[in-house]
């Protein structure tokens, strides 16, 4: 029996072609989704749904079909990996990950998930509208059962919740998350109490309750995105009911924002947030295009990029030193208030019911509430009828407030109706990664704060491109964090960031 | 051996599912094409090209694959047709048409056509820019050879050009076209001479050389499209470098227009033209969605809808009786000129070099030039180096003018560089169908002209919906013309329309 040196790799070109075609279908789906939220005529939804379903089916069939079976078998033969380039090794790893998951989950289970969540969405909308959790409870129960079955098929060591976390943040486990959230709870709850006890409450109406024409807000978002280095030759900014970013390649990345004409800050903040996501996609090595490596490596790392631009930059003193005079030019009513007053207003801290409106201090406490409840539900330690009470008790414990109804409480987020369990923790990971990366950036980029204060955001952008974006999904999140910051993820950077910043604003001393 | 009554039809559901999926891919391609021309970031083109190629390949594979082979074989068994509903019969006929063509043409020939035309496009752009036909000649020669080979594979009775015509207008032949063009030549050339001899030349600068802000032009286009009955809940109007319409279903039809701020008429005229195309797509029976029957039945019938709204309506006295005061409100500089002056200006007649700028009288003479040359090239009676002289001689004979260079002559149109031979005649067919349909509409709709003059365009729209649009592609063009007008296509309606309209404007008497 003869073995050649190419055994297992002779079909690499065919493998890459298949991957390219699957990626083209997925990129096309992304565009259909973007169009659905931006320019599609109102009555186009039904046909669009069918088109997206057809593309998803074709893509799934190609991912699990006999051609892919052959490639996966030969590319996983012993000794093959060593013959592949690092990029091809990563490609086989990431494609293999999706392939294995597709094979592990029975088609009927996938189908049941699609059908149940399709049914659940309008039920959730109605339940939230009427503030009645009981309406949503039965279908939510079925969604949780399906997720538990998913976890069983996918497999896990300690908790079934681990199998679901892995979907959004490869490798993430409860064992890693528990100490991170414990640290956040033990440090942030006292910070929040200290802030509330400071007696300081900044004036905010001039920012959030004025008159700021939509056109000018859009123009200002574009101006800031240009300054950040978002490339409009390879991207766009449009309006959509719910802001999102959508990338189909490094050369076509689309951001959306939403404008409230009373509020001069929210659209800009969401543009910077989505811009952070978009610049990640634009910054990936273009040679990875048309493969699953041309994506952010995980939801957590993706969110770190959006949150860094939104918060570490967009809510910083340095940033507004340069941009507040420009904002005042665009919106002259702001001339009545100083840069310091503006900075205080956009960094107000107050416990609130709705996660998406939460400030930097309280945000992760909202996630903690969801994390604990999701984990208990998936591990079978909580039943769906216990959710509202569990929610409200935690809100009271961590934030000191109790929702008046379920719409302000456990019905506020869309995620569960979509079937997504294990997604929320990636928001907190994003905040932690962002603080840790930014701490390193401050050490490595000379005079970073002064640069930002003079309106030069490109040094940071270039650093992120090089350190984080370029590798795309060819490196795992934990590898990137270790390489860039010299250590694994640690919540202390985020806690220090909060205490330093809010300690100054509210004149607190940390014990 | 037993036969059941369902033999041949037992897989009808599977056949329809396959057709639906193919149609979803094609509809998605249409959206990718629309996006390419409207909102895609400039540098997105390369990836977009790959996505479109992948979708085209998948769609082609599904159209010619083993599943389709089985369906086509069983659905074409003797006695099966009679068991199908009329719509399913039409579906099998139209799918079978595409299927047969796909099977007849070798993959290498298709591939060669794609490669050659991809190569040809920039060559044509450069040749036109430098006004040098010789640069384009070699690749054009290869495109013509490929088209002749296509024709040989597709098969024909009299002329190889018939095989190409059939691609755009099913069933159309040289034998039908020759007398139509002969009639146009014999009647229009004298009309043009009479107009030129009339000594009348309307004032036109107030329409074509003023200042008309883009926003207001766009708003006026929307106002007119609303009045026409174009449904903006199922469609859009956007800007694009070259106006087009693109429909992916009856519930999602997109029009584009182009605005010249000096010219108050051209954007509106092109919006009405594209609106006619779009209303055809919106007017099809929605039960035909996701099948190839949910399309216009032929390019000629499609063009009849656009030309009727553009010309029979949009260049009529009645239309402007209602809309000119509104146009004057939107663009006050027009208040210096009367409705009669405006009507005369938008109906000016003058021989010109460029087809897309031609008036109603000369337009079909431009097509005649192309028709005669294409036919001779495909039939092997003309060589590529003879094209410029052949072109110029015909321009002189029919229009009385000779292009100063090839950019004004045989290089002006994009069609040949795309590989399209046999397409041009459908423009003329559109004009002829439009006149014949409109003549019937005037008989069948009470007081049509008065209704238009009072701004009510919906009676015409409803008539077109019912008479022409509803059947989609389930009826062939010739069947529709016969059913609606009671006779086959006849050029006399168009010639009469021109003589009546322009006879009045230029005070001519027809001999």
């Amino acid at each position: 029996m003869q073995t050649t040196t190419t055994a297992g790799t002779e079909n690499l070109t065919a493998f890459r072609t298949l991957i390219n075609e699957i990626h083209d279908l997925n990129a096309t789906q992304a565009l259909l989704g973007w169009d659905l939220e931006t320019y599609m005529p109102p009555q186009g939804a039904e046909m669009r749904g069918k088109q997206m379903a057809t593309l998803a089916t074709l893509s799934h069939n190609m991912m699990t079909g006999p051609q892919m079976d052959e490639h996966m078998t030969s590319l996983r033969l012993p000794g093959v990996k060593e013959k592949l380039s690092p990029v091809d090794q990563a490609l086989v790893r990431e494609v293999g990950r999706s392939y294995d998951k597709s094979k592990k989950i029975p088609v009927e289970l996938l189908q049941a998930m699609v059908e149940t969540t399709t049914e659940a969405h309008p039920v959730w909308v109605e339940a939230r509208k009427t503030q009645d959790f009981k309406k949503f409870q039965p279908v939510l129960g079925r969604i949780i059962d399906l997720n538990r079955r998913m976890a069983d098929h996918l497999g896990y060591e300690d908790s079934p919740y681990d199998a679901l976390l892995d979907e959004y943040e490869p490798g993430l486990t409860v064992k890693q998350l528990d100490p991170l959230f414990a640290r956040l709870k033990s440090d942030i709850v006292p910070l929040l109490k200290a802030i509330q006890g400071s007696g300081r409450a900044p004036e905010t109406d001039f920012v959030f309750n004025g008159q700021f024409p939509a056109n000018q807000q859009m123009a200002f978002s574009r101006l800031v995105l240009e300054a950040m280095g978002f490339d409009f030759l390879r991207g766009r900014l449009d309006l959509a009911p719910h802001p999102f970013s959508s990338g189909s390649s490094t050369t076509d990345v689309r951001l959306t924002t939403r404008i409230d004409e009373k509020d001069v800050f929210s659209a800009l903040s969401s543009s910077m947030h989505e811009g952070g996501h978009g610049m990640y996609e634009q910054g990936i090595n273009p040679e990875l295009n048309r493969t699953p490596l041309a994506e952010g490596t995980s939801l957590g790392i993706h969110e770190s990029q959006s949150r860094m631009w939104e918060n570490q930059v967009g809510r910083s003193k340095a940033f507004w030193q340069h941009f507040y005079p420009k904002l005042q030019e665009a919106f002259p009513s702001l001339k009545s208030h100083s840069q310091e007053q503006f900075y205080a207003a956009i960094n107000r801290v107050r416990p609130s019911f709705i996660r998406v409106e939460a400030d930097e201090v309280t945000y992760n406490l909202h996630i903690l509430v969801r994390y604990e409840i999701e984990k208990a539900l998936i591990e079978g330690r909580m039943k769906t009828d216990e959710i509202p009470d569990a929610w409200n008790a935690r809100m009271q414990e961590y934030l000191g407030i109790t929702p008046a109804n379920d719409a302000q409480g456990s019905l506020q987020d869309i995620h569960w109706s979509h079937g997504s369990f294990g997604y929320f923790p990636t928001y907190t990971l994003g905040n932690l990664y962002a603080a840790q990366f930014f701490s390193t950036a401050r050490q490595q980029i000379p005079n970073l704060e002064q640069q930002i204060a003079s309106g030069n955001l490109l040094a940071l952008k270039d650093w992120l491109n090089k350190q984080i974006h370029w590798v795309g999904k060819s490196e795992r999140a934990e590898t990137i964090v270790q390489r860039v910051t010299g250590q694994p993820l640690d919540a202390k950077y985020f806690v220090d960031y909060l205490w330093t910043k809010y300690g100054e604003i509210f004149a607190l001393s940390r014990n």
Side-chain angles (χ1 to χ4, degrees), chain A:
Chain A
M1 200 172 149
Q2 267 201 326
T3 45
T4 72
T5 52
T6 58
T9 65
E10 62 274 11
N11 289 320
L12 201 58
T13 305
F15 171 69
R16 294 195 71 123
T17 300
L18 180 58
I19 293 304
N20 290 161
E21 289 178 352
I22 293 172
H23 194 82
D24 287 338
L25 285 180
N26 298 345
T28 298
Q29 279 212 73
L31 185 81
L32 293 182
W34 171 85
D35 182 75
L36 175 80
E37 299 288 342
T38 52
Y39 294 113
M40 190 185 73
Q43 293 187 17
E46 186 190 344
M47 286 297 133
R48 177 57 46 84
K50 292 181 193 296
Q51 291 152 9
M52 293 178 79
T54 290
L55 291 185
T57 303
L58 290 174
S59 167
H60 179 83
N61 290 348
M62 288 162 79
M63 196 66 191
T64 55
Q67 260 193 291
M68 188 63 88
D69 288 339
E70 279 178 39
H71 288 307
M72 277 295 129
T73 304
S74 64
L75 288 166
R76 283 167 161 180
L77 287 174
V80 170
K81 188 177 164 185
E82 293 67 25
K83 287 182 252 170
L84 297 176
S85 70
V87 164
D88 282 329
Q89 285 183 29
L91 191 59
V92 171
R93 181 191 73 217
E94 292 302 325
V95 173
R97 197 177 124 80
S98 305
Y99 173 81
D100 291 340
K101 290 200 174 200
S102 305
K103 291 282 177 181
K104 280 178 184 169
I105 297 177
V107 175
E108 317 88 83
L109 181 54
L110 272 183
Q111 192 60 37
M113 188 62 105
V114 171
E115 282 167 14
T116 311
T117 54
T118 302
E119 179 191 332
H121 183 73
V123 175
W124 167 73
V125 170
E126 174 64 18
R128 189 169 76 153
K129 201 170 139 197
T130 55
Q131 309 176 346
D132 185 358
F133 181 81
K134 285 205 172 54
K135 282 188 186 158
F136 185 47
Q137 193 185 314
V139 71
L140 177 60
R142 282 155 53 208
I143 288 174
I144 291 166
D145 286 343
L146 291 169
N147 267 289
R148 288 160 54 94
R149 285 180 56 201
M150 286 271 190
D152 288 341
H153 284 286
L154 292 168
Y156 54 86
E157 281 187 28
D158 299 322
S159 164
Y161 193 56
D162 290 347
L164 305 179
L165 288 170
D166 181 76
E167 181 70 19
Y168 306 105
E169 194 74 13
L172 184 68
T173 61
V174 165
K175 208 183 263 175
Q176 293 169 299
L177 274 178
D178 278 347
L180 290 172
F181 275 112
R183 173 74 190 267
L184 292 176
K185 181 155 76 171
S186 72
D187 282 64
I188 294 175
V189 172
L191 171 60
L192 177 59
K193 292 212 167 111
I195 289 171
Q196 292 181 288
S198 74
R200 299 197 177 196
E203 192 186 340
T204 57
D205 264 10
F206 73 104
V207 175
F208 303 117
N209 202 12
Q211 286 190 322
F212 308 101
N215 280 351
Q216 275 144 274
Q217 288 206 45
M218 202 66 177
F220 203 84
S221 276
R222 283 186 216 281
L223 178 142
V224 170
L225 284 166
E226 291 267 12
M228 285 164 62
F230 180 79
D231 184 353
F232 280 96
L233 293 175
R234 298 185 288 135
R236 301 184 46 82
L237 174 67
D238 296 275
L239 291 172
H242 301 282
F244 66 96
S245 73
S246 161
S248 60
S249 77
T250 61
T251 54
D252 192 346
V253 175
R254 309 196 179 189
L255 317 177
T256 65
T257 192
R258 171 177 54 184
I259 290 177
D260 172 357
E261 291 202 317
K262 285 189 181 163
D263 180 340
V264 76
F265 187 65
S266 81
L268 175 65
S269 189
S270 109
S271 295
M272 292 184 75
H273 179 100
E274 302 305 337
H277 282 304
M279 281 161 59
Y280 189 0
E281 302 277 328
Q282 286 187 339
I284 294 169
N285 179 354
E287 288 179 14
L288 303 178
N289 269 330
R290 300 183 79 209
T291 78
L293 303 182
E295 292 168 14
T297 195
S298 73
L299 287 190
I301 300 290
H302 231 307
E303 192 74 3
S304 77
Q305 301 306 293
S306 56
R307 294 294 266 183
M308 189 186 296
W309 285 104
E310 177 191 355
N311 290 330
Q312 270 82 1
V313 178
R315 283 191 165 89
S316 73
K317 252 187 193 159
F319 178 82
W320 288 108
Q321 196 170 318
H322 180 80
F323 282 99
Y324 192 60
K326 294 188 187 301
L327 194 72
Q328 288 176 313
E329 282 307 308
F331 305 100
S333 71
L334 295 175
K335 289 183 179 167
S336 60
H337 288 74
S338 70
Q339 183 196 322
E340 288 68 31
Q341 289 175 299
F342 182 77
Y343 175 70
I346 64 172
N347 286 297
R348 66 176 167 181
V349 175
R350 48 170 198 183
S352 61
F353 297 113
I354 304 297
R355 173 184 60 87
V356 296
E357 295 165 5
D359 52 74
E360 285 186 277
V361 174
T362 58
Y363 188 89
N364 298 291
L365 301 176
H366 288 267
I367 301 299
L368 176 58
V369 170
R370 288 153 181 78
Y371 171 63
E372 292 180 344
I373 291 175
E374 284 196 346
K375 197 170 52 158
L377 287 166
I378 298 296
E379 290 177 351
R381 295 180 287 103
M382 188 187 288
K383 301 214 178 318
T384 51
D385 60 1
E386 301 170 65
I387 293 175
D389 285 348
W391 188 287
N392 294 350
R394 283 172 175 77
M395 284 297 288
Q396 186 61 47
E397 184 187 347
Y398 307 150
L399 288 157
I401 54 175
T402 299
N405 57 59
D406 297 331
Q408 279 188 352
S410 57
L411 286 173
Q412 69 183 266
D413 295 303
I414 201 172
H415 302 57
W416 292 346
S417 78
H418 278 172
S420 303
F421 279 76
Y423 190 116
F424 284 119
T426 67
Y427 290 131
T428 286
L429 285 187
N431 291 323
L432 305 191
Y433 286 134
Q436 189 162 335
F437 286 141
F438 198 69
S439 165
T440 305
R442 288 176 66 175
Q443 288 165 26
Q444 297 186 355
I445 303 171
N447 308 319
L448 176 58
E449 235 150 291
Q450 283 165 258
Q451 295 211 41
I452 292 174
S454 66
N456 178 12
L457 308 177
L458 296 181
L460 178 60
K461 182 247 178 192
D462 290 343
W463 186 86
L464 293 170
N465 280 162
K466 195 175 156 205
Q467 296 292 329
I468 298 168
H469 304 167
W470 187 255
V471 296
K473 209 171 188 163
S474 66
E475 268 185 28
R476 282 282 169 84
E478 58 187 358
T479 314
I480 293 174
V481 177
Q482 182 72 45
R483 173 174 55 72
V484 175
T485 71
Q487 60 177 112
L489 179 62
D490 190 329
K492 93 178 166 73
Y493 295 97
F494 180 70
V495 169
D496 287 350
Y497 161 74
L498 285 190
W499 269 102
T500 305
K501 176 173 176 177
Y502 292 92
E504 191 208 319
I505 295 176
F506 293 93
L508 312 172
S509 62
R510 191 174 179 184
N511 311 333

